[in-house]
Amino acid sequence: MFESLQERLGSILNGLTGRGALSEADVSAALREVRRALLEADVALEVVRSFTDKVREKAVGAAVVKSIKPGQMVVKIVHDELVEMLGAEGVAIDLNAPAPVVIMMVGLQGSGKTTTSAKIAKRLSERQNKKVLMASLDTRRPAAQEQLRQLGEQVKVATLPIIDGQSPVDIARRAVQAAKLGGHDVVILDTAGRTHIDEPLMVEMADIKKVSNPHEILLVADSLTGQDAVNLAKSFDERVGITGLVLTRMDGDGRGGAALSMRAVTGKPIKLIGTGEKMDGLEEFHPKRIADRILGMGDIVSLVEKAAENIDAEQAAAMARKMQSGKFDLNDLASQLQQMSKMGGMGGIMGMMPGMGKMKDQMAAAGLDDKMFGRQLAIISSMTKAERANPDVLKHSRKKRIAAGSGTDAAEINKLLKMHRGMADMMKAMGGKGKGGGLMRGMMGGLANKMGLGGMMPGMGGPGGMGGGIMGGGMPDLSKMDPKQLEALQKQAQAAGLGGGMKGLPGGGGLPGLPGGMKLPGLPGMGGGLPGLGKKK
């Protein structure tokens, strides 16, 4: 969503951070570019003006901390103002009211109200153990009520029985009554939309509000709408009074202006964002994390949360034991690839890692995308149990059969096997007792330990390993290692076929905090490097 804005702001702020001192002219020139970048991203003009004025005011007279360069101070000020613009704290749906708590969903046609209603119902019933009832008040759109009923079945949430000929106000009244009688904690009212805001729509919304007395009125807005989203939010807030915003299609390729503008103009918090078509494609909105992503600082907290949601702890422990014994077969590789897909695929993971967002395009150009994962999983699925457990038996005739079964060719199978060999060697190095084995095991704990994920990989010389190696315990604190240790690590990674894995890409796989501008060979923090990034011949 914010990729183009991220690129523009990244290049502007990078130009500032390299300088020892900043003049007022430097700050003004940078802010002119920031203003242009925000306007191009469809942020409302009044919001852009207010934002740049606040940044200028703080940046020009900034009390610069001695250990920080002035340019870095400006980046911090921009980051803080971005957080302020998006809302300082994340705000969840408020259920602090007598049951049944009524949540009224409003918005224009096609913004995703019905799907979002079902996603919220699923979230409340599964995460907060609430008994939810959904009711469709959309009597105009053909089969709208039937759509909600089917979504209710899909997410295992009760829906109000459909009675033909009832008006939206009558359905709202009946829904609240049914929720009281049925002992429901929450009732979600999915109201009708229009293609544009008109008087009859607003009158209908006001009438529904009167009879149902909602505790939350959530405006569902398509984040691809652009600047018009601001007028939409204003109109609904003035006439109906909204308590929060839900932005859908945040996984799209829009420019993100709606998200930045609506909160600033209405003063209402963005509570949730839709991140996909699936019923679990809904996330809480955390302003600080979004600001981090926009400024290319990554979003490690969300990445850890995703990992915790999608990764089976037992599976992780079993993988840890296998790694200790130095075993790593194609079944293990398949489970690693599946877990990466669940966590949002290559793009999703890279976008949340600090400094990695810029490398996504280069990786896509090199054919390292989620389609590659799909092909690799198809290849592994086309093998027999014996072949998966012992890839060495794969000779030409077997490869021919696997290629036909998976719709690939021998070259792709060879690439997969080469990648597996490299990862298996790395696992041996991590679990092995030989020279340097202890160093690799010690590397595993770094970031996971800092994030309170200790103990997920018992016996690995320190906690680590989300997903049994998919993140490999995250990045260690390399700045505290002496150069000899780093050199030993580099040689070990190269011996495992992971050296120079990121050559030619900007940043060269380097990560902040490496002394002397050292680059990390491959990405040993990610379970032995990213799949497919083997040593180039």
Side-chain angles (χ1 to χ4, degrees):
M1 167 56 73
F2 296 108
E3 278 174 11
S4 59
L5 183 60
Q6 186 180 330
E7 280 170 28
R8 287 292 306 276
L9 288 181
S11 60
I12 295 161
L13 296 172
N14 280 349
L16 289 179
T17 49
R19 304 188 193 183
L22 287 182
S23 66
E24 195 168 330
D26 290 333
V27 174
S28 294
L31 283 180
R32 201 161 42 244
E33 288 299 314
V34 168
R35 186 190 299 119
R36 192 174 294 159
L38 291 171
L39 287 172
E40 281 176 12
D42 262 346
V43 181
L45 181 61
E46 57 190 286
V47 178
V48 175
R49 276 195 188 132
S50 155
F51 178 81
T52 49
D53 287 349
K54 284 178 186 170
V55 173
R56 178 180 284 108
E57 193 183 308
K58 290 181 183 175
V60 171
V64 177
V65 183
K66 276 184 184 176
S67 60
I68 296 174
K69 289 181 181 174
Q72 290 169 327
M73 200 70 189
V74 174
V75 174
K76 185 191 180 306
I77 293 166
V78 169
H79 178 268
D80 292 348
E81 281 306 318
L82 211 47
V83 172
E84 195 60 39
M85 185 159 89
L86 289 164
E89 289 295 324
V91 181
I93 289 178
D94 180 16
L95 299 179
N96 191 18
V101 181
V102 180
I103 299 173
M104 180 175 161
M105 311 292 285
V106 300
L108 294 185
Q109 229 170 46
S111 58
K113 281 193 306 297
T114 305
T115 312
T116 303
S117 299
K119 285 178 179 180
I120 291 173
K122 181 181 193 294
R123 194 179 179 87
L124 293 177
S125 61
E126 287 180 4
R127 296 192 180 201
Q128 297 184 34
N129 207 20
K130 299 290 181 188
K131 190 178 180 186
V132 184
L133 176 71
M134 294 193 293
S136 173
L137 278 55
D138 192 345
T139 54
R140 287 175 182 78
R141 187 164 61 88
Q145 292 177 303
E146 177 61 21
Q147 182 194 357
L148 190 71
R149 189 190 66 76
Q150 289 189 6
L151 287 171
E153 281 180 13
Q154 195 179 324
V155 298
K156 298 182 176 63
V157 169
T159 50
L160 189 73
I162 300 165
I163 297 177
D164 290 334
Q166 277 199 318
S167 72
V169 175
D170 291 337
I171 299 170
R173 195 180 284 117
R174 182 163 63 93
V176 175
Q177 191 61 32
K180 280 178 185 168
L181 295 172
H184 290 84
D185 301 307
V186 179
V187 56
I188 296 175
L189 303 178
D190 175 27
T191 65
R194 301 279 196 286
T195 50
H196 59 278
I197 295 167
D198 59 12
E199 191 54 31
L201 171 70
M202 290 306 179
V203 170
E204 186 179 289
M205 294 298 124
D207 290 345
I208 292 166
K209 182 182 175 182
K210 209 177 288 177
V211 300
S212 63
N213 189 25
H215 186 61
E216 285 269 26
I217 301 175
L218 300 178
L219 171 63
V220 182
D222 187 336
S223 54
L224 307 184
T225 316
Q227 292 218 7
D228 198 42
V230 175
N231 304 327
L232 166 78
K234 264 186 181 169
S235 303
F236 270 102
D237 194 30
E238 284 163 9
R239 294 297 302 272
V240 187
I242 58 175
T243 58
L245 304 158
V246 181
L247 292 180
T248 57
R249 293 210 272 183
M250 286 289 280
D251 56 330
D253 55 2
R255 289 169 291 187
L260 298 177
S261 307
M262 288 167 84
R263 163 67 179 75
V265 169
T266 61
K268 298 294 189 289
I270 299 169
K271 298 204 169 189
L272 296 161
I273 51 174
T275 55
E277 289 293 313
K278 291 180 182 171
M279 285 294 119
D280 54 2
L282 192 70
E283 289 178 12
E284 283 179 9
F285 185 83
H286 295 281
K288 186 181 179 305
R289 298 186 198 176
I290 296 289
D292 284 352
R293 281 191 223 182
I294 292 173
L295 295 181
M297 296 174 184
D299 186 0
I300 287 290
V301 183
S302 292
L303 188 55
V304 172
E305 281 178 4
K306 264 195 172 169
E309 275 174 36
N310 292 302
I311 286 164
D312 188 331
E314 282 179 30
Q315 208 177 340
M319 179 71 82
R321 285 192 291 276
K322 275 192 131 178
M323 281 168 62
Q324 274 182 290
S325 62
K327 289 175 186 167
F328 184 78
D329 61 23
L330 286 167
N331 288 316
D332 300 325
L333 178 59
S335 77
Q336 297 257 312
L337 294 173
Q338 281 161 352
Q339 284 178 353
M340 274 189 98
S341 298
K342 276 187 197 169
M343 285 168 64
M346 183 83 80
I349 292 172
M350 294 300 275
M352 289 184 188
M353 290 185 72
M356 291 290 178
K358 295 173 189 171
M359 289 163 60
K360 282 197 286 187
D361 294 341
Q362 283 84 353
M363 289 176 66
L368 297 166
D369 55 14
D370 296 335
K371 286 180 186 170
M372 180 194 81
F373 286 173
R375 289 195 300 275
Q376 290 179 336
L377 284 167
I379 291 169
I380 296 171
S381 302
S382 300
M383 294 178 186
T384 64
K385 271 186 183 178
E387 287 166 349
R388 285 200 290 268
N390 183 17
D392 293 337
V393 302
L394 292 172
K395 298 294 179 270
H396 180 69
S397 58
R398 288 178 186 253
K399 285 180 187 174
K400 206 172 168 185
R401 188 201 79 241
I402 293 163
S406 58
T408 57
D409 55 30
E412 285 199 72
I413 295 170
N414 289 335
K415 221 183 272 180
L416 174 77
L417 293 174
K418 186 180 174 188
M419 176 184 102
H420 168 257
R421 266 196 306 276
M423 289 180 80
D425 289 347
M426 179 60 91
M427 296 308 171
K428 274 180 192 164
M430 283 178 176
K433 292 172 185 170
K435 191 182 177 187
L439 172 63
M440 280 306 264
R441 281 199 302 278
M443 292 281 297
M444 296 287 285
L447 191 62
N449 200 16
K450 287 179 192 171
M451 292 187 286
L453 285 173
M456 279 182 79
M457 270 201 185
M460 287 299 290
M466 305 188 305
I470 212 157
M471 296 292 291
M475 290 304 310
D477 191 352
L478 295 171
S479 57
K480 289 181 182 167
M481 293 178 73
D482 66 51
K484 281 183 183 172
Q485 282 181 306
L486 282 163
E487 210 174 309
L489 173 68
Q490 191 167 11
K491 282 178 185 167
Q492 207 169 329
Q494 282 168 344
L498 289 154
M502 289 283 194
K503 263 180 197 163
L505 297 183
L511 285 163
L514 289 174
M518 259 201 79
K519 305 286 186 225
L520 188 69
L523 278 172
M526 289 194 72
L530 284 170
L533 288 176
K535 196 174 185 179
K536 295 222 172 88
K537 296 284 180 196

